[in-house]
Amino acid sequence: MTKRLAHQILLIGWDAADWKILQPLMDAGKMPTLKQFVETGVMGNLATLDPPLSPIMWTSIGTGKTADKHGVLGFTQPRPDGQGIQPVLSTTRQVKAVWNILMQNGFKTHVVGWWPSHPAEPLNGVCVSDFYHKAHDIPQDQWKMAPGTVHPEQLADTLAELRVHPQELTANHILPFVPDAEKVNQETDQRLWSVAKITAECSSIHAAATWIMEHEPWDFMAVYYDSIDHYCHGFMKFHPPYREGLPRDLYDLYNGVVESGYRFHDMMLSRLLQLAGENTTVIICSDHGFHPDHLRPLHLPREPAGPAAEHSPYGMVAMRGPGIKRDELIFGSTLLDITPTILTLFGVPIGRDMDGKPLLQAFIEPVEPARIDSWETVAGDCGRWPADKIGDPWADQEAIDQLVALGYIEPPGADAQKAVDRTIRESKFYLARVYLHKHDYANALPLLEELYANYPDQTRFGLRLAQCYKVLELISEARRVTDAVIATWKQQRIEEIQKNIAKAKEAGKDTSEMTVPEDPSSPQLELLQGNLCLAEETADAALAHFQRAQQATPRLPDLHLGIAQAYVKLKRWQDAEEAYFQALEIDPDSAFAYHGLAQVYLHIRHFKEAAEAAVTSVGLLFHNPSAHYHLGEALFRLGRFQEAEQSWLRAVTQATGMKRAHEQLIRLYQYHLHDPVKTLTHQHIMERIQPVPNRRVVSQVTDSTRVSITAQPFKIQPIEAAKVITVVSGLPRSGTSMMMQMLQAGGLPLLTDAQRVADDSNPKGYWEYAKVKTLSQDNTWLGEAQGQVVKIIAQLLPELSADYHYRIIFMQRDLEEVLQSQQTMLERLNTKKSNPVQLRQTYAQQLTRLATWLALQDHLAVLPLDHHAVIEQPLVVAQQLQTFLGGPFDRQQAVTVIDQQLYRARKS
């Protein structure tokens, strides 16, 4: 570890907090605590990621990694049994959070309310999950805390008593938010209950956090408040100034809710800072902002997570403490930088696999952070759940689908299946957006192609796919998809208007002025067409589309960026400059407008202005390699060679394949900085750069194709050996049916029902018992299996009741052969096949978790058997079986069932 800079660190999460609201309130003296905080520390924008969904964002804040690495991909996930969906959980996270890393380095850590954090992780401090404060619509006298909400469990009752139920609030609590609350008809208007619910839940989190800070020692404390986001989603529409179309009476009632919510947080901040003390480093941050102005959409998209359209691309960050600068702005921060900053403050190395950077510009003294390849490979107790509790629900669901297709488990009910399918669909879309945001178009493309092919009515999938095609310079494909999207949108619009006319007629309203347009359009469609024309190098046509959009909606976000780009292509530099200024008049924080201005100024050789615009752009949005490149170009033209070097190095760090930046660095090192070693380094990098693929090339998986299950005896011996249940298990197509035949031939009684008849895939039968398929819902039948042999696939073993003893004969087979056999079987069944690469990884993960689970059980014994060995050395295996079973077993008869001709799927 390097030098420790912080004694304690308090991390405060304010979901959706935005400087656009905070700054005026501080200036008006309405948030005095935060005002004094930033005057004695640093503050700045915190660029968010895409998609701006809170569970994804807060997991990225807590890990320093993007969602493709940490694995949280939305609000819900499939249940482990595939029978429905559940809220996203802490066990979904695939990587260590900052509190796990700190615990592993000996720091006492507490976490309160982080999203997602249920079940509470077994940290060396206190963990309170995001289920803690949620009252939903449960009456106060029935409000029980879910198991797993608090760790350690002995604090559960104490912390449960601190929760605040909405029914406990009185008029005195509500009036600061809604001064004229008595005017509200609560039978028809539920907004007062919403205010009470948000405020009570926020108070519960605050009560838990302050109790822990008062009663428990700590080095690191993280507390997350979701309430600003909830106040904003419910009441931002009423936030001043008044917007046309709102009922004036509702505006008058609720226009102070958002401001009051912010001021409430300032009061809570005062107490947190008092408890933390002056020697504690405190970081306040939000995952995104919330448009309080004309940039907020008038209508939300009718799609899952549609309200996220109200989120702005910049959250906030403020930090103060020993060694932190005072009353200064910091620039270029992203929410991925919070974890690396915390680790650096504690002197703990940063993982090279993290996507963020420490905010060194906030430190008074220069710091050289220590590095480690990855914390994921560092062993030791870190407060995470054991491997058998951690899973990838999306990959697990694909494996469940495969098991359903193969006939090994029952499909979920129709409604449950719809929910599962919808969750998986949205999660794939969110993952594609993550890849797009990272400029990883090769990985985004196949996801978007699959989504749009399966759901052509979802125009949002088509729009993202067209965007991906444009970036990959597949312009004809982009045109094809865009035209299809436009046609679908027009048809949907016509059908929507027709439905509205029909409803109006049914209601007896006059429909004479309601007409169905022959060719409906919208400013958004014109903007879409214009951007595609830019990609097709038809700038005049693009400009015509943009101008039509401008006539309809002059202040349409992003419109003036398109107009400016068209002028750039037409080399109308002054018009382009003016268009970028118009874009900035609409959105003064547009990093893209400043970047565009930088490019215009480079063309007209105004290098000083170009550098200033580029600096502003990367200050707003640091992760933009193209903007860093153009900043380097401007600095080079100004003769500031060392600064140009740093800008181009940032560009190639963010986009390693950016050839033009490497070429500029080579010239810079050759002719200006005279550094032959660095010249050679970048020449070698240039030689290795491959063209960006238009399709993702799936490399051969180099992971092991076999995961071993360990043999184990009973830790607690069964009282009645005759009642032990013998289980034959393994992945589907791993030789379980062959083993059932061996055991029957050896004289053991089998529990089967012959419902599944033999076929070409299993000519000698499946030897199954139908009730096994619903084991995850009903295991009461296991008593029937006592003293018998039953076949249960590996994924269902954790569903076995601990009331019985089991001897598990676990068939192991090379995963390549398992998948080959499964794919062949699916072809015979004429069923859609799954991605074998993904399944191989999923099966390996599932078997790893299963091995951990098996090792923790004391009521079962395990005999792992190799599929290949059973076929090639059946007598040896028969001897192992006899020893393991501990009773009569006819070895000679058992080996007669082995048929080597049925060993058809062999590893190449």
Side-chain angles (χ1 to χ4, degrees), residues 549 733 765:
R733 313 303 294 169

Side-chain angles (χ1 to χ4, degrees), residues 69-125:
K69 295 179 181 178
H70 65 58
V72 174
L73 289 169
F75 297 94
T76 59
Q77 63 186 35
R79 280 172 38 186
D81 59 6
Q83 300 297 314
I85 61 173
Q86 63 188 17
V88 66
L89 301 174
S90 62
T91 50
T92 307
R93 198 183 72 238
Q94 302 293 299
V95 300
K96 293 175 182 175
V98 63
W99 45 84
N100 302 121
I101 298 170
L102 292 176
M103 175 178 164
Q104 203 162 9
N105 283 273
F107 295 95
K108 187 86 165 180
T109 65
H110 306 298
V111 179
V112 178
W114 212 261
W115 194 5
S117 56
H118 190 86
E121 291 184 89
L123 300 174
N124 61 0

Side-chain angles (χ1 to χ4, degrees), residues 25 175-178 231 256-265 267:
L25 291 176
L175 288 174
F177 295 87
V178 187
Y231 287 129
V257 172
V258 170
E259 177 181 310
S260 297
Y262 271 88
R263 296 180 69 183
F264 182 34
H265 281 69
M267 298 175 194

Side-chain angles (χ1 to χ4, degrees), residues 575-613:
D575 289 332
E577 179 187 23
E578 178 60 31
Y580 281 126
F581 278 132
Q582 288 180 322
L584 287 169
E585 191 271 326
I586 295 171
D587 181 7
D589 290 331
S590 174
F592 303 105
Y594 281 111
H595 182 201
L597 276 175
Q599 294 174 77
V600 169
Y601 291 140
L602 282 171
H603 279 292
I604 61 178
R605 304 182 66 80
H606 290 183
F607 301 126
K608 182 174 180 292
E609 291 83 355
E612 290 172 352

